[in-house]
Amino acid sequence: METKTLNQTTGQVRAGEGVAQRCAAATKLMRTGEYEAGCEALGDLWGGLGERPRVEGLSPTDQAEVLLRAGALSGWLGSSSQAPGAQALAKDLISESIRAFEKLGPQERLAEAQSDLGLCYWREGAMDEARVWFREAFSNASEPANRLRILVRSTTVEISSNQLDTALALLGQASPLLDHVEDDVPLGCYYMQRAIIFKRLGGAENQDRALIENAAASFHFEKANHRRYFGRVENTMGNIHLQLGRHEEALEHLERARHTFVTLGDVGTAAQVNDTRARVFIAQGRYVDAEKIAFSAASALEAGGEQSLLADALETQAVALARMGRFQSALGIFKRAAHIAETAGNSRLSGEISLTILEEVKSFLAPSEICSTYQEADQKLGEQLSPANAVRLRLCARLAFANSATGKAEETTPTSFEEEVHKRESELIRAALETAGGSVTRAARTLKLTHQGLCYIINHRHKDLLGARAPIRVRRKSIIKKR
């Protein structure tokens, strides 16, 4: 009898090997981000994305394994290439494997399949369905590595929904498992998700913590030789430096991330990096460059089923157009982005886009449109608001009130041009200070002013805003290296 062996270094299977070994090899390669090689490892069992695996004549266990591997790989390959219908196909294959595993009994495989199905729903923006499957998966898993992987994946839904406290709680539930897991990939994912959460929470201390978590994630991904996740860490680094106003450093990290994904042929993740690059360009005032890159990102994401990512890219493109004064085009794209997010089941994102409409194109809207857009944002964002969204919603509420039938003071009390300019200047500074939590430094950065310049304007022209500034305090030394 021919000896069938698995190359433990590459995860590849020699010709003639059994189904179990091929599936094990495909799993090993998939978990290190080598999706194309994982497809090849299945050999003649599967023809690749868009094909149904050949399971006729296999045992029920082998059929379930092949269906699961082909389904999971379809989801990853579809996300990477933004192939139309890939997530739907992946869900069909994984669901078929779940039905088989429910009859066969291996709980760990059942949990793994349910987790992969949850990931497909998340890619499509169906957050509630994804939550259901992740909970089911966790209830069936007992192995520490599997439980850790499921909990970490669950945080993707909460991060996408801006439920950051819930995401941190899930990672807190996962932390006791770290000492029992030796696989570097789920360990790296744990730290990567923590970095993303702290980055989104904002503030200097949270950015410092995000950098620490990112360093830990990089360590594990480098050990595992997971190039895709290492590139994602670079993208997160770019986001952190963007929030800190270090635009050139942000672009350096983003260029490394972009190069990684272009080299891997990962169209979907490269498009996400381009969306981040466009936002850096917006922060730099390079609106033409930002619009071109955001349009490229949206075009790449158009064909795939990841609607929330498409909505993000469209929102970025619309912001760039609005900053260029192309309000009509911007408004059309904003509305399309909000509709896509809402249709995908991501009401939170749709509500945030409505806020962006009010922030970016309010001068182009009729008073009735301002009020209706605010009401949509308020309804879609719900009761559980992040601190940033709470501030944004409050500012937009003032705008809506000012444009309501009883609140249009500007129509009943004509003022001079100079008074209107003074009033508008005060509104902009107050809004920037509230968004920045009273920090003059961050507010000045938002307004494209120097710290000294903004202080002068407040002290000499808007002394009523002195109370809006945060008290001056001595901040602890940041761990972020100054350049």
Side-chain angles (χ1 to χ4, degrees):
M1 180 180 294
E2 179 186 1
T3 301
K4 303 180 178 69
T5 59
L6 174 68
N7 184 321
Q8 298 296 334
T9 302
T10 64
Q12 293 180 348
V13 183
R14 296 175 184 174
E17 289 182 335
V19 172
Q21 288 172 299
R22 294 188 187 189
C23 289
T27 302
K28 181 180 178 67
L29 289 161
M30 181 180 65
R31 288 181 178 171
T32 55
E34 302 295 335
Y35 308 135
E36 294 80 4
C39 176
E40 293 175 4
L42 289 175
D44 58 2
L45 292 171
W46 186 42
L49 188 60
E51 299 289 333
R52 178 176 172 79
R54 304 176 183 90
V55 296
E56 295 77 10
L58 300 181
S59 70
T61 299
D62 284 346
Q63 286 187 21
E65 288 285 352
V66 173
L67 288 166
L68 173 56
R69 300 310 155 202
L73 280 167
S74 292
W76 287 111
L77 287 167
S79 178
S80 173
S81 64
Q82 289 297 290
Q87 299 309 317
L89 174 61
K91 289 191 299 182
D92 288 345
L93 294 175
I94 296 170
S95 296
E96 193 173 345
S97 77
I98 288 173
R99 292 192 292 272
F101 284 127
E102 285 174 338
K103 295 178 182 178
L104 294 168
Q107 293 298 295
E108 294 303 323
R109 287 292 187 267
L110 174 61
E112 186 178 346
Q114 291 169 332
S115 175
D116 283 329
L117 186 57
L119 206 56
C120 291
Y121 276 109
W122 167 73
R123 293 190 189 107
E124 290 184 324
M127 304 301 170
D128 290 337
E129 290 86 346
R131 288 187 179 96
V132 169
W133 284 110
F134 284 135
R135 283 196 293 267
E136 284 291 313
F138 188 73
S139 69
N140 286 313
S142 59
E143 293 178 358
N146 208 9
R147 290 169 70 84
L148 176 62
R149 189 177 296 108
I150 293 166
L151 286 171
V152 170
R153 283 182 171 182
S154 300
T155 65
T156 58
V157 176
E158 307 309 331
I159 292 171
S160 297
S161 304
N162 217 36
Q163 303 300 314
L164 303 181
D165 289 341
T166 303
L168 277 177
L170 287 168
L171 293 178
Q173 186 180 353
S175 62
L177 299 168
L178 299 179
D179 292 335
H180 305 283
V181 176
E182 296 181 358
D183 187 342
D184 282 294
V185 175
L187 292 173
C189 289
Y190 170 87
Y191 294 111
M192 179 172 66
Q193 295 301 94
R194 281 178 61 84
I196 293 172
I197 293 168
F198 287 127
K199 182 263 296 180
R200 289 207 175 192
L201 285 170
E205 291 189 9
N206 284 325
Q207 302 307 324
D208 285 354
R209 296 179 73 178
L211 288 173
I212 293 171
E213 302 296 339
N214 246 3
S218 294
F219 170 78
H220 288 290
F221 292 146
E222 191 170 14
K223 282 183 64 180
N225 194 29
H226 202 308
R227 295 180 293 166
R228 293 178 195 265
Y229 282 172
F230 197 86
R232 288 181 182 272
V233 169
E234 286 291 303
N235 188 42
T236 302
M237 289 291 288
N239 269 296
I240 294 171
H241 286 293
L242 169 59
Q243 290 195 11
L244 292 169
R246 298 174 181 169
H247 302 145
E248 293 305 322
E249 290 185 64
L251 290 174
E252 288 176 9
H253 286 285
L254 294 172
E255 181 55 34
R256 285 195 288 270
R258 189 194 68 82
H259 177 75
T260 296
F261 294 118
V262 169
T263 301
L264 291 168
D266 191 328
V267 177
T269 314
Q272 295 175 53
V273 175
N274 277 336
D275 178 42
T276 310
R277 291 174 67 216
R279 287 188 281 113
V280 176
F281 289 151
I282 289 173
Q284 291 179 315
R286 298 166 56 184
Y287 304 132
V288 174
D289 291 335
E291 194 277 332
K292 288 180 180 177
I293 293 179
F295 174 78
S296 172
S299 298
L301 294 165
E302 188 82 43
E306 299 179 60
Q307 298 299 290
S308 293
L309 295 177
L310 173 60
D312 279 332
L314 289 170
E315 181 186 18
T316 304
Q317 183 190 2
V319 170
L321 287 167
R323 300 287 177 88
M324 294 162 62
R326 296 169 59 184
F327 297 121
Q328 186 168 1
S329 297
L331 183 59
I333 295 175
F334 273 133
K335 289 184 175 180
R336 181 176 174 231
H339 176 72
I340 288 172
E342 182 69 20
T343 303
N346 196 340
S347 293
R348 186 272 313 169
L349 177 57
S350 183
E352 289 181 345
I353 294 170
S354 293
L355 291 181
T356 309
I357 291 174
L358 294 174
E359 293 163 347
E360 298 292 338
V361 297
K362 54 182 173 288
S363 62
F364 188 74
L365 300 174
S368 59
E369 289 180 294
I370 290 176
C371 293
S372 63
T373 302
Y374 167 76
Q375 290 171 352
E376 289 177 8
D378 187 32
Q379 180 182 7
K380 292 174 182 177
L381 289 171
E383 298 297 325
Q384 295 183 329
L385 293 172
S386 68
N389 280 343
V391 171
R392 295 177 69 195
L393 191 63
R394 184 171 60 188
L395 293 173
C396 290
R398 294 175 183 171
L399 176 66
F401 177 78
N403 284 272
S404 65
T406 59
K408 292 191 243 179
E410 67 277 8
E411 291 186 3
T412 58
T413 310
T415 58
S416 69
F417 176 76
E418 290 78 8
E419 288 173 329
E420 284 296 317
V421 171
H422 184 272
K423 176 184 174 183
R424 181 58 178 150
E425 184 179 65
S426 176
E427 290 174 350
L428 288 171
I429 294 173
R430 185 182 296 277
L433 285 169
E434 290 187 358
T435 302
S439 168
V440 175
T441 300
R442 291 200 293 274
R445 188 180 299 136
T446 299
L447 296 168
K448 303 296 187 296
L449 296 171
T450 64
H451 179 277
Q452 294 84 350
L454 182 56
C455 285
Y456 178 88
I457 293 172
I458 293 173
N459 291 332
H460 290 81
R461 297 207 293 267
H462 301 286
K463 292 184 179 181
D464 59 309
L465 296 179
L466 289 171
R469 300 186 306 181
I472 298 174
R473 63 185 178 88
V474 178
R475 183 182 173 275
R476 68 175 181 80
K477 186 178 180 181
S478 173
I479 67 164
I480 304 174
K481 184 179 179 181
K482 303 290 185 183
R483 293 188 178 179

